[in-house]
Amino acid sequence: MCGIIAYTGAEPATPILVSGLRTLEYRGYDSAGIGVQNGSCRITVTRALGVDQLAEAVAGGTSNDGVEPTVGIAHTRWATHGGVTISNAHPHTSADGRVAVVHNGIVENYLDLRVELSDAGYRFGSETDSEVIAHLIARCLKSGESLASAVRGAAGRIRGASSFVATSADEPGVIVGVRLGNAGGIVVGIGDGFHLLASDVLAILPHTDRVIYLRSGEVVTISSAAAGFTDLNGATLERRPFKTGRSFEAAAKGEHPHFMAKEIAEQPEAASSAMRRRVDFENGTVDLPEVPYSDDEIRSFDRIIVTGMGTSLHAGMYGAQMIEALTGIPTQAENASEFRYRSTSLNDRTLVISVTQSGETVDTLAAMESASAAGAKQIALVEAEDTQATLMADGTLYLRAGQEIGVASTKTMICSLTVLYQLAVYLGIRRGALSPDRARELVSDLSRLPGLIAEMIDDGGDCRRLAVERLKDRRHLLYLGRGALQPMAMEGALKMKEIAYIHAEGYAAGEMKHGAIALISEDMPTIALVPQGALYDKMVGNINEVKARGGEVIALATRGDEVMPGLADEVLWLPEAPEWIVPLLSLVPMQQLAYHTSVALGLDPDKPRNLAKSVTVE
Ligand code: F6R
């Protein structure tokens, strides 16, 4: 949440910062701002309600002195404390305007600090928690400290997970960044004669691919010539850059109107990539060397928890069902934000599997922390490289979806499910709970996944029509599923809520009679996941109940189903597919329904209101 970019070098800083903000906009787009050191050692700050407005405001240059600034910091905001206003936009400055700060995270003790600083004569210009940092730094600088030392001093006073970056007019060319806890990270870009800091490596890639990820409790000081690292006490740290595996081209929309459309279309390739070198299709096995446990350890597990938030939690719910079915180990999916505060009797025979595409979600990281404290074993499923989640886990299974920019997760969800499928088979084999024949069957089923998804994407036209004819003018929708399709129903509803702003409930179909059925009317369509399988008849029963009450039904059914066309108002066809593969396929039409509904409503599916891609605050 919130995007930070900073540059120091010889090139004009403003265009580099603005284009970095455009890349980081998915992290927050409430407002944006830029602060550059100009020729006469002052900091010129420009702020606006969005990156486009900011770009316009700085188009004429940000220097008053005819000298193009080459050092600056910038920010795109996802509001936490204080409304969406220019005065709450970052950078925040000290009263004398000589220090500017951009911040990601929450200063939990900001009210106390605000009182303390106000009593000491510091005047506040915003309602944010972040502004205290600028004043804390200015106070340390007054006593003659260097900017790096002042940043460490400020870092020592604030509570909560935060990353911030500061620059001071008194140290031309210098920018200092710090990471505290599990708030969004800071990546350092190492160039020839320049350095950058950013919340995401993508904003650095147009300039250099040599990077260092800042760890919690580390401080970095960059100038055009050097990048130096210390801990919070000022002790020097050795950090070496490495060549990132990320590519900037992946972050372009290409021929697609939105990133979400592109990312839906990329799912066949993403699913293949999540299996590459892990699944042995010839011998029908799965090998996951990233899971660093011996057979004895795997046999000792007596409980598995799969945790995550939002879409990743829905993936985890599917994973928990499959893992329990294939290993016989009691397995539950847990909402990380609840799990972290609940008393859970974990121990070293518990395996915790955390699903987090960003590797940054603060609740998931906190759940991982409490699992570590209890001595549990930990595996993380992550898309982003070198994140805090990876540092905490015993092993990381990378999703390999490729950069996802659309705020609504699509291809990372498919990859999370694909990897959880593999993990279930792998643990089943290693535990001796899965016969080689059944494992071969499951692997062969998995091999069909990319082709089946591709088929579904080609069939997308009906979703556009249904979005326009049946969904866009509705205020409420119900999504029903059973078994492993229940979390998919919840995911379908989440997609519709987040990008089309239509209230949607994902429900276990069997639960409907216990309350939600009261809502059924001709104004509330139901999307029913009713593929062939063990629970088909039960779902048909639920659909009949909806129809009997005048409800409209859009069924997702298996091609060849002769009952559904006579029963449901509309049918979206799923290809015939094995039990554990069908849930993944069901996602595709639900993603497309949400996408086309959002577009039909004139909304931007890539940038839903109030949301950001990485949720680094509680
Ligand atoms: C919804 C969505 C979110 C994320 C959730 C967790 O489309 O993307 O619900 O799934 O914020 O994010 P990660 O996976 O980064 O931990």
Side-chain angles (χ1 to χ4, degrees):
M1 274 175 163
C2 298
I4 289 174
I5 171 98
Y7 170 84
T8 173
E11 299 294 319
T14 304
I16 293 173
L17 296 173
V18 170
S19 92
L21 288 181
R22 288 199 190 287
T23 305
L24 296 171
E25 230 185 330
Y26 73 90
R27 301 178 69 91
Y29 27 83
D30 296 336
S31 56
I34 190 167
V36 289
Q37 289 189 354
N38 65 30
S40 56
C41 290
R42 282 180 296 104
I43 295 173
T44 306
V45 169
T46 313
R47 300 184 287 185
L49 294 179
V51 177
D52 284 341
Q53 294 91 321
L54 179 71
E56 238 171 75
V58 296
T62 36
S63 163
N64 305 328
D65 314 314
V67 183
E68 198 58 62
T70 63
V71 182
I73 64 178
H75 186 268
T76 176
R77 178 169 187 244
W78 186 87
T80 57
H81 294 63
V84 178
T85 61
I86 300 263
S87 57
N88 288 336
H90 300 216
H92 292 291
T93 51
S94 57
D96 60 5
R98 296 184 74 74
V99 174
V101 169
V102 288
H103 171 230
N104 178 15
I106 290 181
V107 179
E108 289 174 359
N109 55 336
Y110 84 102
L111 284 174
D112 292 345
L113 290 170
R114 217 174 148 111
V115 170
E116 175 189 318
L117 289 159
S118 300
D119 287 350
Y122 290 87
R123 292 285 152 260
F124 283 79
S126 79
E127 303 150 343
T128 66
D129 55 331
S130 312
E131 192 184 344
V132 295
I133 301 172
H135 298 306
L136 286 171
I137 293 174
R139 189 162 71 175
C140 294
L141 287 175
K142 254 203 206 152
S143 54
E145 295 179 35
S146 68
L147 179 62
S149 162
V151 163
R152 287 194 293 269
R157 292 296 321 278
I158 67 176
R159 273 206 320 269
S162 281
S163 291
F164 65 87
V165 166
T167 191
S168 159
D170 296 318
E171 289 189 39
V174 173
I175 295 170
V176 180
V178 61
R179 175 174 188 174
L180 302 169
N182 294 331
I186 292 186
V187 192
V188 185
I190 311 287
D192 210 0
F194 67 89
H195 288 90
L196 294 128
L197 305 178
S199 304
D200 187 326
V201 69
L202 272 188
I204 284 178
L205 279 172
H207 312 285
T208 175
D209 60 2
R210 292 197 308 133
V211 298
I212 297 169
Y213 287 83
L214 215 60
R215 308 261 185 258
S216 176
E218 288 184 355
V219 180
V220 60
T221 302
I222 57 169
S223 62
S224 58
F229 297 82
T230 69
D231 65 15
L232 290 175
N233 297 318
T236 304
L237 300 171
E238 261 320 305
R239 297 297 313 272
R240 293 201 179 288
F242 71 97
K243 198 169 173 330
T244 172
R246 291 287 177 189
S247 94
F248 188 68
E249 288 66 42
K253 276 187 256 190
E255 79 232 20
H256 297 275
H258 298 101
F259 280 110
M260 186 175 176
K262 173 177 176 256
E263 288 154 8
I264 290 173
E266 284 171 346
Q267 290 181 115
E269 171 53 28
S272 300
S273 159
M275 298 177 207
R276 210 161 285 141
R277 294 185 304 280
R278 290 174 172 155
V279 184
D280 178 344
F281 293 110
E282 247 164 58
N283 296 307
T285 58
V286 174
D287 188 22
L288 301 176
E290 302 94 328
V291 177
Y293 307 127
S294 66
D295 284 350
D296 281 349
E297 278 172 315
I298 290 177
R299 279 194 213 102
S300 77
F301 296 148
D302 58 11
R303 184 178 175 202
I304 299 181
I305 305 286
V306 192
T307 187
M309 296 298 293
T311 294
S312 291
L313 174 60
H314 299 152
M317 290 165 78
Y318 162 94
Q321 291 190 28
M322 189 170 182
I323 290 168
E324 182 157 329
L326 268 50
T327 64
I329 307 172
T331 307
Q332 293 151 269
E334 292 269 3
N335 176 308
S337 67
E338 292 296 323
F339 181 68
R340 61 179 292 193
Y341 291 119
R342 203 155 67 66
S343 75
T344 48
S345 13
L346 308 186
N347 56 40
D348 62 356
R349 292 186 312 283
T350 313
L351 172 65
V352 174
I353 301 166
S354 298
V355 185
T356 168
Q357 75 83 23
S358 64
E360 286 190 307
T361 298
V362 77
D363 287 308
T364 308
L365 294 178
M368 291 182 76
E369 250 162 18
S370 55
S372 287
K377 305 278 189 303
Q378 300 230 49
I379 296 293
L381 270 64
V382 181
E383 175 62 25
E385 65 185 10
D386 210 15
T387 62
Q388 200 69 9
T390 296
L391 282 177
M392 272 192 254
D394 305 324
T396 297
L397 289 159
Y398 283 102
L399 301 179
R400 305 189 193 142
Q403 184 75 33
E404 187 174 72
I405 303 281
V407 165
S409 295
T410 52
K411 63 177 179 170
T412 54
M413 169 64 162
I414 286 286
C415 288
S416 299
L417 295 167
T418 307
V419 173
L420 284 163
Y421 184 116
Q422 295 167 64
L423 187 57
V425 174
Y426 180 73
L427 292 173
I429 297 172
R430 296 274 311 271
R431 187 148 167 117
L434 195 60
S435 72
D437 281 352
R438 178 70 182 126
R440 253 190 299 280
E441 216 170 63
L442 287 160
V443 164
S444 150
D445 293 347
L446 189 60
S447 71
R448 295 175 56 202
L449 177 66
L452 290 170
I453 300 176
E455 219 178 281
M456 304 245 31
I457 288 167
D458 293 345
D459 275 0
D462 271 351
C463 293
R464 186 179 302 114
R465 178 182 62 77
L466 289 184
V468 174
E469 290 177 5
R470 295 207 183 247
L471 298 178
K472 80 172 176 40
D473 298 319
R474 303 308 177 99
R475 294 319 313 142
H476 307 281
L477 298 174
L478 190 62
Y479 286 68
L480 295 181
R482 283 175 180 258
L485 286 150
Q486 186 226 328
M488 303 303 121
M490 294 174 72
E491 174 62 9
L494 177 62
K495 290 282 97 77
M496 191 58 89
K497 279 188 269 218
E498 66 183 329
I499 61 169
Y501 315 152
I502 295 176
H503 169 234
E505 297 277 354
Y507 241 74
E511 178 73 17
M512 190 184 60
K513 282 200 266 307
H514 302 278
I517 199 164
L519 294 169
I520 299 292
S521 74
E522 58 200 14
D523 294 330
M524 179 160 170
T526 296
I527 288 133
L529 310 189
V530 58
Q532 293 300 318
L535 298 170
Y536 175 82
D537 291 341
K538 303 280 173 216
M539 279 302 301
V540 172
N542 295 126
I543 293 173
N544 273 309
E545 288 155 11
V546 172
K547 290 300 301 171
R549 284 154 186 86
E552 187 179 308
V553 173
I554 299 173
L556 268 63
T558 309
R559 204 178 296 286
D561 181 327
E562 289 176 358
V563 176
M564 271 316 124
L567 183 58
D569 298 275
E570 298 275 358
V571 184
L572 289 169
W573 294 112
L574 301 170
E576 187 284 316
E579 173 195 8
W580 291 109
I581 297 294
V582 175
L584 283 75
L585 302 181
S586 75
L587 286 179
V588 178
M590 291 192 287
Q591 294 165 346
Q592 289 173 322
L593 284 176
Y595 171 77
H596 290 301
T597 306
S598 172
V599 172
L601 288 167
L603 303 171
D604 180 349
D606 287 341
K607 288 197 228 157
R609 70 183 177 208
N610 305 339
L611 289 173
K613 184 98 186 138
S614 304
V615 184
T616 55
V617 293
E618 260 191 81

